[in-house]
Amino acid sequence: MNRREALFSLGTIAASLAVAPGLGAVELKGVPHDTQLSDDHMPQPAIRSGGFLVLSEAERRTLGALYDRLLPADEYGPSATEAGCLEFIDSQLAGHYGAGKALYLEGPIRPESELQLMGTAQFLASPLERYRSGLAALEAYAQRVDGQHLADLPAERIDALLGEMEAGRLDLGQAINSKGLFELLLQNVREGYLADPMYGGNRNMAGWKMIGFPGARYDYRPYIDRRGENLRLIPVSLIPAD
Amino acid sequence: MKNWKKIATGTALVAGLAAVGAAWMAVKTFDTSRSAVADDTVPLAQFRSTDQAAIVRGEYVMRLGDCAACHKADFAGGYKIDTPFGSLLTSNITPDTQTGIGAMTERDFFNAVRQGIGSHGLLYPAMPYTAYTKFNDRDMHDLWAYLSTIAPVNKPIDENAGMHFPYNVRLAMAGWDMLFFDNTPFIADVTQGKDWNRGKYLTDGPAHCGTCHTPRNLLGGERSSAYLQGGRLGAWYAPDITPNPLTGIGHWSVDTLTTYLKTGSDDVAVAAGPMAEAVEHSFQYYQVDDLDAIGSYLKSLPASAAQPGQPMTPNAQRMKAAALTYEVNCSACHGLEGEGIQGMVTAFAGNRRMLTDDPTNLLHAMLMGARAPHTEARQTAAGMPSFAWKMNDQQVAEILNYVRNSWGNAAVEVKPEQVAALRGELGAHQKLAVPEPVSVK
């Protein structure tokens, strides 16, 4: 904000103050006694009936190999797939997220100007479609270039592929934006690792334990004065298992 | 043959006696001579009181009787009351001639309010005429004056369309009235003082405390032998309000009772459910003298004989697990030591109202949430959220057993089956299904 803009905004604030007193406060009467949550306010836990909802076995193998290089098992915690990130993303892709219900998916689209305006690439495809086409393209690339399934490649090779994707250099064909795909995978694997366990990932709260996040607690006043101390708070899920 | 004759004669005799008895009961129950003091010529729609003092007093009488709770703020009715016999809609009591009570005279009004005899048939005892029958003539007259100032609202209400057969036949209420309706005015007890009598008048009449706090029999009649000793009321429990020190109000002072009724909280307990509505719509408008009179009267009653059941023996390991659940879900408002927030959020420590053998109110609050009354003195009307969606029956029972048996509290065990039963009755959410926890590889 430059000086001119700052002065203008001050003027706007002054004008709004001049109007505000006329509005007056409205007294709240007849507060609704019903505090039951309505269905559309309920969280929607992952549905787990044993199987996967949208990702095929081949897709899960490819995706699992990629996820586990982004979040490998080490002394701090389990790998992405061990923590349930595949179950998490399968459940998300099967629902509103996968269908892109919150996204505008109509044209027109001009990749250059969108990148400039939004700072990130925009897509007309839903997340589920992007996973489907992206995983197929990556698998095809591995078979063509390495002569193997992507899931069977050594870790260093997968790391190199991910590095190329991140840099936007991996050519997966005209239809696939490899940098955008990398960003999508990285974002979702983090979400799966750190979201509440009720959404299928963060199994046994491994992600929360790794970063020391105590979960869906409401109030930290009992601890506020205990500084510089590992509080060893037990992480809590929003909907504790039975 | 002879025996048959005997039986027939006997039966006829009994039937005859019953008929005489019934007739006598009917005469007594439906004797409207008390209403003769009221005018029977001018219908409400044609009447507009000019007695300003009576109108003001009448508004207060309306608050005492809590008319607006059921007939709604505009008195046009339509509030749904669910009973075991079907659902009722409250009537339109505005002076509208077509759909309200505009065609009623003052005498008709007396008959309706004090005796349940309405303009199109007998009223259902969901309208507490069984208590309002104690209203004195002056209060009735003032109430009539006040009603004449209400704007007529044209809103047709089919009050008993939701009642099941045979309860949708208004005449069926004649039998009920004969069994359970005591058509007698309030009679002051000359051996007691003015305040005591005022307290009894308010308690039994306008405030109609017994409507909820006196347990009812299977046909919905109040059991006078258990006067104000508490009972289930749909999915809530109206507690014992006799001076029993353990189950009732024995340890409340008159001041405490007055504060509770006036503000919705006595700094430990907070009213919820139907009591919150009673406080919000009615008791907060009571003059302090009148509330004191009610308190003194209640304190003068014989204490109920109720004894709380044997407290449970808490399991140390479960209590420890429940302590974490409590800290995570409850402590932000109810306090780490169960101290609550004064005047706003219920305290558990030292709150005997939480320890009743019947845990219905706690279960109700857990499953459906609850809200404190919104009163002039306590504006927050703090809300308790529902936990039905995140706790199963066992978990609800365990957290309640924790608060009922911590900080010096001791109470009988809440069983998961009780949670399940009320969850079903209320149609509350089931706990949402979450992915099974998986053992670590």
Side-chain angles (χ1 to χ4, degrees):
Chain A
M1 193 185 278
N2 61 29
R3 210 167 66 121
R4 177 191 283 263
E5 283 168 339
L7 287 173
F8 273 129
S9 70
L10 277 181
T12 316
I13 292 168
S16 68
L17 282 179
V19 174
L23 298 172
V26 178
E27 193 185 343
L28 190 60
K29 285 213 170 107
V31 181
H33 279 266
D34 195 357
T35 54
Q36 171 85 308
L37 275 184
S38 63
D39 278 335
D40 43 339
H41 289 90
M42 290 283 169
Q44 293 180 353
I47 304 159
R48 295 254 50 99
S49 48
F52 283 76
L53 300 167
V54 289
L55 293 176
S56 71
E57 197 184 338
E59 286 169 331
R60 295 200 302 272
R61 282 197 67 208
T62 310
L63 183 57
L66 294 163
Y67 271 6
D68 279 352
R69 289 316 300 158
L70 292 169
L71 274 171
D74 59 16
E75 69 269 34
Y76 301 110
S79 73
T81 53
E82 285 164 356
C85 291
L86 286 180
E87 285 82 354
F88 169 84
I89 194 62
D90 180 67
S91 166
Q92 292 301 312
L93 291 177
H96 289 171
Y97 175 77
K101 284 283 169 72
L103 302 174
Y104 180 74
L105 298 175
E106 303 290 324
I109 189 160
R110 291 206 186 114
E112 302 78 20
S113 33
E114 263 106 36
L115 201 58
Q116 197 186 353
L117 280 171
M118 309 296 291
T120 171
Q122 303 294 302
F123 302 93
L124 298 188
S126 70
L128 177 59
E129 290 160 354
R130 291 180 60 204
Y131 263 85
R132 285 253 148 89
S133 60
L135 293 174
L138 279 166
E139 172 65 8
Y141 182 92
Q143 298 218 16
R144 191 175 75 243
V145 177
D146 298 88
Q148 287 188 65
H149 290 300
L150 185 138
D152 297 333
L153 295 176
E156 302 74 43
R157 175 62 182 143
I158 298 177
D159 288 353
L161 285 176
L162 286 168
E164 293 288 295
M165 286 171 74
E166 184 176 16
R169 286 194 300 261
L170 192 69
D171 183 5
L172 294 176
Q174 199 59 37
I176 311 287
N177 177 329
S178 68
K179 183 173 160 61
L181 181 61
F182 175 86
E183 284 163 359
L184 184 67
L185 297 181
L186 182 62
Q187 177 194 326
N188 289 158
V189 78
R190 282 172 173 158
E191 288 166 348
Y193 207 79
L194 296 172
D196 193 289
M198 73 172 155
Y199 298 112
N202 190 11
R203 201 174 272 163
N204 301 310
M205 293 181 263
W208 290 356
K209 286 173 188 162
M210 174 193 265
I211 61 168
F213 178 63
R217 287 167 179 261
Y218 191 92
D219 184 15
Y220 294 95
R221 280 175 300 174
Y223 306 101
I224 206 158
D225 293 326
R226 294 168 61 180
R227 292 171 187 278
E229 180 189 345
N230 184 349
L231 295 170
R232 301 191 186 284
L233 293 178
I234 303 165
V236 181
S237 165
L238 185 59
I239 305 183
D242 295 348
Chain B
M1 269 311 270
K2 243 184 181 173
N3 273 345
W4 279 113
K5 221 175 203 174
K6 245 187 194 168
I7 290 166
T9 316
T11 310
L13 195 66
V14 170
L17 275 174
V20 170
W24 182 77
M25 282 299 291
V27 167
K28 189 165 161 275
T29 304
F30 299 108
D31 173 12
T32 57
S33 57
R34 275 201 285 155
S35 304
V37 292
D39 168 76
D40 198 25
T41 56
V42 188
L44 183 60
Q46 316 278 311
F47 174 65
R48 176 67 167 78
S49 174
T50 51
D51 184 346
Q52 202 52 42
I55 293 168
V56 171
R57 286 197 309 268
E59 181 173 5
Y60 184 61
V61 172
M62 182 278 291
R63 291 297 183 191
L64 294 180
D66 203 4
C67 311
C70 291
H71 293 283
K72 296 195 173 177
D74 64 354
F75 302 101
Y79 178 84
K80 191 166 157 229
I81 298 176
D82 288 312
T83 79
F85 316 106
S87 65
L88 281 168
L89 294 177
T90 59
S91 54
N92 179 343
I93 56 166
T94 69
D96 184 62
T97 307
Q98 232 184 348
T99 62
I101 60 166
M104 273 193 178
T105 64
E106 186 177 358
R107 192 175 296 176
D108 296 333
F109 180 66
F110 277 35
N111 287 340
V113 173
R114 295 204 300 204
Q115 296 185 240
I117 303 169
S119 52
H120 45 271
L122 295 175
L123 302 190
Y124 289 87
M127 156 78 180
Y129 59 85
T130 46
Y132 292 164
T133 194
K134 305 297 175 198
F135 264 124
N136 63 37
D137 292 343
R138 188 176 109 146
D139 281 352
M140 287 299 297
H141 188 71
D142 292 344
L143 187 54
W144 179 250
Y146 173 68
L147 273 186
S148 77
T149 68
I150 300 297
V153 178
N154 190 282
K155 180 171 141 189
I157 306 262
D158 194 352
E159 291 96 347
N160 58 350
M163 289 297 270
H164 313 310
F165 182 81
Y167 309 106
N168 59 349
V169 181
R170 284 177 179 272
L171 200 61
M173 291 306 112
W176 192 94
D177 281 344
M178 281 192 267
L179 287 170
F180 303 119
F181 174 49
D182 175 20
N183 178 22
T184 52
F186 176 77
I187 296 162
D189 182 342
V190 290
T191 66
Q192 299 280 357
K194 191 162 156 279
D195 287 351
W196 186 93
N197 275 303
R198 177 70 178 162
K200 182 168 173 56
Y201 172 72
L202 290 168
T203 301
D204 292 349
H208 56 289
C209 306
T211 307
C212 298
H213 289 278
T214 298
R216 289 172 183 269
N217 59 29
L218 282 176
L219 283 171
E222 288 177 28
R223 286 167 43 210
S224 52
S225 61
Y227 177 60
L228 301 180
Q229 293 181 12
R232 270 295 287 272
L233 174 84
W236 291 96
Y237 178 75
D240 184 353
I241 53 169
T242 71
N244 183 315
L246 297 171
T247 61
I249 53 147
H251 58 289
W252 295 45
S253 68
V254 172
D255 275 353
T256 307
L257 279 163
T258 296
T259 307
Y260 179 83
L261 294 172
K262 186 84 185 165
T263 70
S265 170
D266 68 341
D267 295 344
V268 178
V270 178
M275 192 62 200
E277 292 183 41
V279 168
E280 189 169 313
H281 298 303
S282 178
F283 287 119
Q284 69 160 319
Y285 296 96
Y286 275 50
Q287 289 155 11
V288 169
D289 287 353
D290 277 345
L291 293 175
D292 285 347
I294 291 177
S296 309
Y297 169 68
L298 291 178
K299 297 282 287 183
S300 78
L301 292 172
S304 72
Q307 286 287 335
Q310 183 65 33
M312 68 183 289
T313 314
N315 168 311
Q317 202 186 339
R318 284 190 169 177
M319 289 290 271
K320 201 178 159 216
L324 174 63
T325 310
Y326 179 84
E327 186 197 316
V328 169
N329 292 288
C330 321
S331 72
C333 297
H334 292 285
L336 276 177
E337 299 298 323
E339 70 272 24
I341 299 174
Q342 207 179 59
M344 199 157 91
V345 178
T346 301
F348 300 134
N351 183 354
R352 246 180 249 277
R353 276 76 77 189
M354 290 281 159
L355 309 181
T356 44
D357 285 2
D358 186 325
T360 301
N361 292 349
L362 299 176
L363 294 175
H364 196 128
M366 286 294 292
L367 293 171
M368 301 299 277
R371 194 182 287 287
H374 177 237
T375 63
E376 195 179 5
R378 311 270 194 210
Q379 298 269 355
T380 307
M384 155 95 178
S386 155
F387 284 83
W389 58 279
K390 64 179 291 184
M391 288 189 185
N392 64 21
D393 298 337
Q394 179 73 34
Q395 289 164 331
V396 170
E398 278 184 7
I399 194 66
L400 289 181
N401 285 327
Y402 176 77
V403 301
R404 282 157 59 93
N405 293 281
S406 298
W407 313 296
N409 287 348
V412 300
E413 183 174 4
V414 178
K415 301 258 169 54
E417 304 84 74
Q418 292 173 290
V419 187
L422 198 68
R423 199 190 284 267
E425 189 181 330
L426 289 168
H429 243 279
Q430 293 296 327
K431 182 184 174 181
L432 296 175
V434 292
E436 295 289 315
V438 181
S439 56
V440 196
K441 273 193 260 178

